[in-house]
Amino acid sequence: MKRVITDKGVLEPDKPGGELVLAGLYPGVEAADVQREVGWKLRARPTLARLDPPSRAELQLLREVLDPQRLYLKS
């Protein structure tokens, strides 16, 4: 399954149309926070997963290996 991972949560394609819908949120984030930052009427799964924040090892991999020039990660 393909997913879009953001700093606020995870979006997944809905079946059968493939529209991205909100599937999970990180701690301290509400669905309204995500809705404010997208350019369309964001639908959400009936039950949203509560996601663990990334671990130190995952952040290090993202920052130092996958995007060392910070082309995608801004903070």
Side-chain angles (χ1 to χ4, degrees), residues 4-69:
V4 176
I5 311 297
T6 76
D7 61 337
K8 304 230 182 298
V10 173
L11 305 171
E12 296 176 344
D14 198 14
K15 295 175 185 168
E19 175 185 354
L20 289 176
V21 296
L22 186 60
L25 296 168
Y26 289 110
V29 178
E30 299 298 325
D33 300 329
V34 180
Q35 176 62 64
R36 278 191 293 275
E37 295 189 21
V38 298
W40 72 94
K41 175 74 171 138
L42 181 64
R43 292 187 306 117
R45 299 248 187 261
T47 303
L48 294 174
R50 287 294 170 175
L51 307 169
D52 292 328
S55 68
R56 270 183 202 242
E58 290 167 331
L59 287 174
Q60 182 177 8
L61 175 66
L62 287 167
R63 292 174 178 155
E64 296 177 13
V65 177
L66 298 175
D67 191 21
Q69 295 178 326

